[in-house]
Amino acid sequence: MALALRCLRPLPSLLHRSSFALARGLPQAPRGCPAPLLEGCRQCAQQMLLSRQLATKKAKGKGQSQAKVNISAALVEDIINLEETSEDMQAVIEALKEDFSRNLNVRTSPGALDHITVVTKDGKFPLNQLGQISQKSPQLMIVNMTSFPESTAAAAKAIRDSGMNLNPEVDGTVIRVPVPKVTREHRESLAKLAKQSTNKSKEALRKVRSKSITQVKKFKNKVSEDTIWLLEKQIQQMADEAATEMDKLLAAKTKELLG
């Protein structure tokens, strides 16, 4: 019995130190928190601190990744809109998908010309708003510029500069667009364009990430370091996941183009 009592004596001081460590540096309770306390919402704070502990814990053994951070968007809505950040990143991914689908195909179709941007004296317009696009044969597409004859030369230049390996020929207000044969060189050229498009999309993704992190840092004097650290980690994690998805899209497109 005496031995048991001696073992229990250190518990109060240990519990006190544990409570102090948990309460130290806790973020303030977010707006709408159902259980605000003097030192902040204990439940929310414990969740955030636990997330940090998981994120910072180094995995044992080589090749193992760190645990993911998962912050409730509602918990930090007064600092940053994480859902909006996610939507912005997803928009970059969707734009890359659209670029792959519209501009990087082994066989060119009339629809591939629709959204080629034509620069005119009155502004920039999609090609399909200036001319009628049709396919005369598998080897020839026609762009009829009768409605906007003054933009014929600009349209031909836009087609030539589209990166689709097209060499248009102007005949009055008609633009003839020969469809190139599918050669190995053409396939490799398209694969390079896919890589370039992916790199541009990743640059756009980095801008979204940087903008979000800058927004978070504006609150560094208003919330705890734990909160700032976790948010930066969360945003970086979201960006990494988006970049990984882009790499998968590129791999699939490259396989499709090279055959």
Side-chain angles (χ1 to χ4, degrees):
M1 184 68 176
L3 178 61
L5 289 175
R6 283 198 300 272
C7 292
L8 289 174
R9 278 175 193 166
L11 283 181
S13 60
L14 287 174
L15 290 173
H16 174 74
R17 287 198 297 271
S18 176
S19 300
F20 178 76
L22 179 63
R24 185 182 180 187
L26 291 182
Q28 294 301 309
R31 185 182 302 170
C33 177
L37 301 175
L38 289 178
E39 65 265 90
C41 173
R42 185 176 301 277
Q43 181 179 359
C44 295
Q46 287 175 339
Q47 177 184 354
M48 294 184 71
L49 287 178
L50 177 59
S51 297
R52 179 172 183 180
Q53 290 169 359
L54 289 173
T56 55
K57 183 179 181 180
K58 294 292 182 70
K60 296 181 179 180
K62 296 182 180 179
Q64 295 184 355
S65 59
Q66 296 180 6
K68 291 184 178 180
V69 176
N70 187 15
I71 304 174
S72 169
L75 183 63
V76 293
E77 61 183 359
D78 291 337
I79 302 174
I80 188 173
N81 188 332
L82 286 177
E83 292 180 356
E84 184 177 307
T85 298
S86 178
E87 290 172 0
D88 289 345
M89 291 183 179
Q90 189 61 39
V92 176
I93 295 173
E94 293 302 320
L96 180 62
K97 289 181 181 179
E98 186 176 359
D99 183 42
F100 280 178
S101 175
R102 180 186 300 166
N103 300 323
L104 297 173
N105 295 297
V106 174
R107 296 194 179 276
T108 306
S109 64
L113 304 183
D114 285 350
H115 299 284
I116 289 178
T117 302
V118 181
V119 180
T120 72
K121 62 180 181 179
D122 297 319
K124 298 179 180 180
F125 301 92
L127 181 58
N128 63 353
Q129 290 186 11
L130 302 176
Q132 295 179 339
I133 307 171
S134 60
Q135 187 145 9
K136 189 75 171 178
S137 71
Q139 289 77 39
L140 181 65
M141 289 186 292
I142 299 293
V143 182
N144 192 326
M145 298 293 295
T146 303
S147 298
F148 296 91
E150 69 281 2
S151 300
T152 301
K157 182 179 185 301
I159 294 170
R160 188 176 295 108
D161 296 342
S162 65
M164 298 172 64
N165 194 34
L166 300 174
N167 188 24
E169 303 167 357
V170 178
D171 183 9
T173 58
V174 173
I175 303 174
R176 301 178 185 277
V177 186
V179 178
K181 293 182 179 180
V182 182
T183 63
R184 186 66 185 178
E185 183 181 359
H186 180 51
R187 289 176 179 272
E188 291 175 353
S189 176
L190 290 175
K192 288 180 181 179
L193 289 174
K195 177 66 174 177
Q196 292 173 9
S197 295
T198 303
N199 288 338
K200 289 180 180 178
S201 295
K202 286 185 176 180
E203 180 61 31
L205 179 66
R206 284 191 286 270
K207 289 181 180 179
V208 173
R209 180 202 61 191
S210 296
K211 178 182 177 182
S212 298
I213 289 179
T214 298
Q215 171 66 20
V216 168
K217 287 183 176 179
K218 291 180 181 179
F219 289 82
K220 64 181 181 180
N221 295 326
K222 299 179 181 179
V223 298
S224 70
E225 292 181 5
D226 282 341
T227 304
I228 298 298
W229 188 92
L230 276 170
L231 281 170
E232 290 180 358
K233 191 77 173 178
Q234 175 80 25
I235 293 166
Q236 182 62 54
Q237 181 177 292
M238 292 163 62
D240 290 343
E241 290 172 354
T244 298
E245 185 171 350
M246 289 181 184
D247 288 335
K248 291 179 180 178
L249 290 172
L250 175 61
K253 193 64 180 180
T254 300
K255 183 178 179 180
E256 172 194 326
L257 293 172
L258 296 180

